[in-house]
Structures are given as structure tokens and as C-alpha cells.
Amino acid sequence: GINVSRALTQSVKTAGGFAAAQAEAARRLADNFAEYLRYERPAGVDQRAMAVFAGEVGAVRQEADGLERRLAALEKAARRNPV
């Protein structure tokens, strides 16, 4: 038969890995774009707009870090308390 505990644990790991990969990709994209704006196009960027963007990049980082912590907690709970 189907081992429900194993299937649930695998689903959490797969979802966690996917979400973590998406968060990391978003973080890298934002960092790369910010670096591009800073070094490649400094004359064409409004300083206020850059400050707003930098704040948004920081918010994305914090959200991604929080998501990674929540996923790690779910994975840990799934290992401790198999269904």
C-alpha cells in the first residue's frame, strides 16, 4: 500500500524545495537588477526611486528568509511526527 507518512514528508520536501528555489531566484534577480542599476546606469536613476527599490529588495529578502524558516520548521515537524 501507499505509505501516507512518506508521501506527506516527500510532498513537504518537494514543496519546500520549490518554494525555497523560487525565493532564492527572486532574491538573486532583485540583487542583480539593483547592482545593474547601481553600476551600469547610475546617471539615469533617480536617487529616491533607487532608495525605494532598495527597500523593496530588502523586504523581498526578509520575506524569503521567513519562508525558508517556515519551510524548515515544516520539514522538521514532518520528520518528527510522521502521519
Side-chain angles (χ1 to χ4, degrees):
I2 297 174
N3 184 332
V4 175
S5 173
R6 184 178 296 156
L8 180 60
T9 300
Q10 186 61 38
S11 294
V12 168
K13 285 181 182 178
T14 300
F18 179 74
Q22 292 297 317
E24 180 62 24
R27 183 182 307 136
R28 281 191 305 228
L29 177 63
D31 287 344
N32 288 341
F33 188 65
E35 184 177 344
Y36 169 77
L37 289 176
R38 172 181 269 164
Y39 297 110
E40 302 296 329
R41 307 278 299 177
V45 177
D46 175 27
Q47 293 301 315
R48 182 169 169 256
M50 185 62 162
V52 169
F53 179 74
E56 291 171 351
V57 168
V60 168
R61 261 195 206 123
Q62 288 178 342
E63 289 176 17
D65 290 344
L67 177 61
E68 288 173 357
R69 285 191 300 275
R70 287 191 298 273
L71 289 171
L74 281 173
E75 289 173 348
K76 185 177 180 181
R79 285 191 302 270
R80 275 192 317 226
N81 301 314
V83 176

